């Protein structure tokens, strides 16, 4: 990193200053303002010289004052969900670009790396795997890296930058390489944090495969939910490859230390490994979803086949019942007709009338039986 420039007088756009003042408008002409102590979002602020902590200011103003009196010091300011006023104060002190400050205020950005003069603005999406609910929790992290300062702005629980700071303070040789060394450590922490997430998602994929072939009816919903998490994971990791390429492209121009270059290339290798695994999850889940759809279709076809067979058997039984009902109905019809008490009916007073009626009933029943038998109803 080039030496820190003297703070320049700059004008913050009115839109950002309005954000810093808040959204409400109150008339204070007739009442005294209520005295309240503003909430500080500083997690840790420190000044370093030659890789060692030399001061721990308690406020941003104290940090500015000490940094102005020590041209060789580097400030590392860690913030958690800072107010707009604090970000505007940092922008004024360190000459931060208004667009970068506006992005840090909104805190819903895609991962990216942008250079504004001598200042790097980096957006990262940290992730952690929640075992209890089997979900991936994402958090946003912004970094401003410039001559003699590093500002980290966290908008979520991850990552744990206190461990990153301890690691750097335990390695003065690395820390004395300057703000880009802190950037490397943060990048390395975020990328290393992806490993447990990748392992957790991998376990979920294995469990889903077991559920699919076990015909678990709830597996479709789980595939959909995990696919959404993998898609979000891709959005967090895919831009990192181009970000690392951008950093590597500036090694020579910005005089990055050779040892630090090796560290950053190692992070780039880890990024490639993580993105490849995440991309493979997307493909595996797509294949599992296709297999699950095929199995569900097969199960539905089997159920339809069973229903069709049952319906066919019912139809066969119905045919038999209908055939026997028709056969038994024929003698009933003949007997009913001959049972009528009318004098002028044919064969009523015929001596062979009764045997003839019985033979007629038997003939009709036999004829119907033969007909139904030919039609495979009996």
């Amino acid at each position: 990193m080039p030496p820190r420039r003297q703070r320049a007088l700059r004008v913050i756009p009115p839109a950002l200053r309005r954000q810093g003042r808040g959204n409400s408008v109150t008339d204070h002409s007739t009442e005294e303002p209520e005295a309240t102590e503003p909430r500080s979002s500083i997690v840790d602020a420190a000044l370093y010289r030659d890789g060692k902590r030399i001061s721990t200011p308690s406020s941003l103003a104290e940090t500015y004052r000490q940094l102005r009196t020590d041209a060789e010091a580097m400030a590392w300011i860690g913030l958690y969900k800072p107010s707009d006023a604090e970000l505007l104060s940092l922008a004024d002190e360190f000459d931060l670009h208004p667009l970068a400050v506006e992005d840090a205020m909104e805190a819903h950005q895609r991962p990216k790396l942008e250079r504004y003069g001598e200042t790097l603005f980096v957006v990262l999406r940290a992730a952690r795997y929640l075992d209890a609910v089997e979900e991936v929790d994402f958090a946003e992290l912004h970094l401003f890296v410039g001559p003699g300062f590093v500002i980290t702005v966290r908008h979520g629980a991850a990552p744990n930058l206190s461990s990153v700071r301890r690691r750097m303070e335990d390695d003065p040789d690395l820390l004395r390489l300057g703000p880009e060394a802190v950037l490397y450590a943060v990048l390395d922490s975020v990328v290393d944090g992806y490993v447990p997430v990748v392992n957790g998602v991998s376990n979920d994929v294995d469990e889903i495969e077991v559920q699919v072939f076990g015909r678990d009816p709830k597996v479709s919903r789980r595939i959909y939910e995990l696919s959404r998490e993998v898609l979000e994971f891709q959005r967090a990791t895919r831009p990192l490859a181009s970000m690392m390429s951008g950093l590597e492209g500036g090694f020579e121009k910005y005089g990055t230390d050779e040892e630090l270059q090796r560290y950053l290339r190692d992070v780039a290798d880890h990024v490639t490994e993580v993105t490849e695994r995440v991309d493979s999850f997307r493909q595996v889940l797509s294949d599992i979803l296709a297999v699950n759809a095929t199995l569900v279709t097969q199960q539905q076809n089997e159920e339809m086949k069973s229903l069709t067979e049952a319906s066919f058997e019912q139809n066969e039984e119905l045919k038999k019942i209908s055939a026997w009902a028709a056969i038994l109905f024929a003698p009933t019809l003949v007997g009913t007709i001959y049972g009528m008490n009318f004098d002028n009916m044919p064969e009523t007073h015929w001596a062979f009338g009764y045997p003839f009626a019985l033979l007629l009933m038997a003939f009709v029943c036999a004829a119907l039986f033969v007909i139904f038998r030919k039609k495979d109803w009996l």
Side-chain angles (χ1 to χ4, degrees):
M1 277 289 180
R4 184 172 69 254
R5 299 179 303 170
Q6 295 296 324
R7 183 172 66 89
L9 180 62
R10 62 196 299 274
V11 179
I12 301 297
L16 293 184
R17 291 201 178 276
R18 283 197 297 273
Q19 292 178 9
R21 287 194 294 265
N23 299 325
S24 61
V25 178
T26 306
D27 183 6
H28 296 286
S29 59
T30 59
E31 61 181 25
E32 292 294 330
E34 182 181 355
T36 58
E37 184 178 351
R39 177 190 64 85
S40 176
S41 63
I42 299 176
V43 178
D44 194 359
L47 265 63
Y48 299 89
R49 188 191 311 118
D50 198 28
K52 297 180 181 179
R53 184 188 286 241
I54 59 174
S55 177
T56 306
S58 59
S59 65
L60 291 178
E62 180 67 15
T63 304
Y64 304 157
R65 187 187 65 79
Q66 295 185 20
L67 191 59
R68 291 168 188 164
T69 61
D70 191 344
E72 300 298 324
M74 178 191 75
W76 182 355
I77 303 171
L79 305 174
Y80 177 71
K81 294 184 178 179
S83 65
D84 292 352
E86 289 173 315
L87 287 174
L88 290 172
S89 172
L90 290 165
D92 189 50
E93 179 66 25
F94 295 107
D95 196 24
L96 305 180
H97 197 280
L99 292 178
V101 175
E102 185 177 3
D103 287 346
M105 287 179 176
E106 293 179 359
H108 291 288
Q109 307 297 321
R110 61 181 294 275
K112 60 182 179 180
L113 182 147
E114 295 180 352
R115 289 188 182 272
Y116 297 98
E118 296 179 353
T119 302
L120 273 174
F121 176 61
V122 181
V123 179
L124 299 172
R125 295 288 304 280
R128 58 176 180 166
Y129 186 77
L130 305 178
D131 289 322
V133 291
E134 293 185 342
E135 292 180 356
V136 182
D137 178 47
F138 295 94
E140 199 164 320
L141 173 65
H142 298 172
L143 291 92
F144 296 90
V145 182
F149 70 89
V150 177
I151 302 169
T152 59
V153 180
R154 287 193 299 130
H155 292 279
N160 182 10
L161 294 183
S162 60
S163 61
V164 177
R165 191 184 290 265
R166 287 194 301 269
R167 171 193 171 188
M168 295 298 289
E169 291 178 350
D170 291 340
D171 190 354
D173 291 337
L174 180 59
L175 185 56
R176 67 166 53 98
L177 296 179
E180 281 195 347
V182 177
L183 174 60
Y184 150 72
V186 174
L187 284 169
D188 189 52
S189 176
V190 171
V191 174
D192 285 348
Y194 291 149
V195 175
V197 180
V198 169
N199 294 334
V201 174
S202 179
N203 290 335
D204 288 344
V205 171
D206 293 339
E207 292 175 1
I208 284 176
E209 288 179 339
V210 174
Q211 285 183 280
V212 166
F213 290 103
R215 305 292 180 91
D216 189 336
K218 298 179 181 179
V219 71
S220 297
R221 181 182 181 87
R222 190 175 181 188
I223 294 173
Y224 171 75
E225 292 175 348
L226 188 58
S227 297
R228 291 189 61 182
E229 290 184 355
V230 169
L231 180 60
E232 190 71 17
F233 204 1
Q234 280 185 315
R235 291 172 180 168
T237 57
R238 273 189 174 178
L240 292 178
S242 61
M243 290 169 59
M244 299 307 297
S245 297
L247 278 176
E248 187 173 350
F251 284 169
E252 183 175 351
K253 180 179 179 180
Y254 295 97
T256 304
D257 183 85
E258 291 186 4
E259 185 68 16
L260 188 55
Q261 291 182 26
R262 297 188 186 95
Y263 285 130
L264 288 171
R265 289 193 182 99
D266 181 66
V267 174
D269 291 340
H270 293 168
V271 167
T272 301
E273 182 181 352
V274 168
T275 52
E276 287 177 350
R277 291 199 63 185
V278 174
D279 290 343
S280 70
F281 290 149
R282 186 77 183 277
Q283 183 61 45
V284 169
L285 286 172
S286 178
D287 293 342
I288 290 176
L289 188 61
V291 170
N292 183 62
T294 301
L295 293 176
V296 169
T297 302
Q298 289 180 350
Q299 184 176 2
Q300 291 176 343
N301 290 339
E302 291 174 359
E303 292 175 354
M304 287 297 297
K305 181 180 178 181
S306 299
L307 290 174
T308 302
E309 291 176 351
S311 178
F312 178 77
E313 292 177 358
Q314 291 177 351
N315 289 338
E316 292 299 314
E317 295 297 327
L318 185 61
K319 286 179 182 179
K320 293 179 181 180
I321 294 173
S322 300
W324 284 113
I327 292 173
L328 295 176
F329 175 73
T332 303
L333 177 62
V334 175
T336 302
I337 293 174
Y338 277 91
M340 295 181 181
N341 297 319
F342 293 101
D343 291 336
N344 296 324
M345 287 182 64
E347 293 90 19
T348 300
H349 301 286
W350 184 31
F352 299 101
Y354 182 70
F356 174 77
L358 294 177
L359 290 174
L360 181 60
M361 293 178 189
F363 175 77
V364 172
C365 290
L368 290 175
F369 181 84
V370 172
I371 292 172
F372 291 140
R373 192 61 179 265
K374 286 183 178 182
K375 292 181 175 291
D376 294 328
W377 282 33
L378 293 174

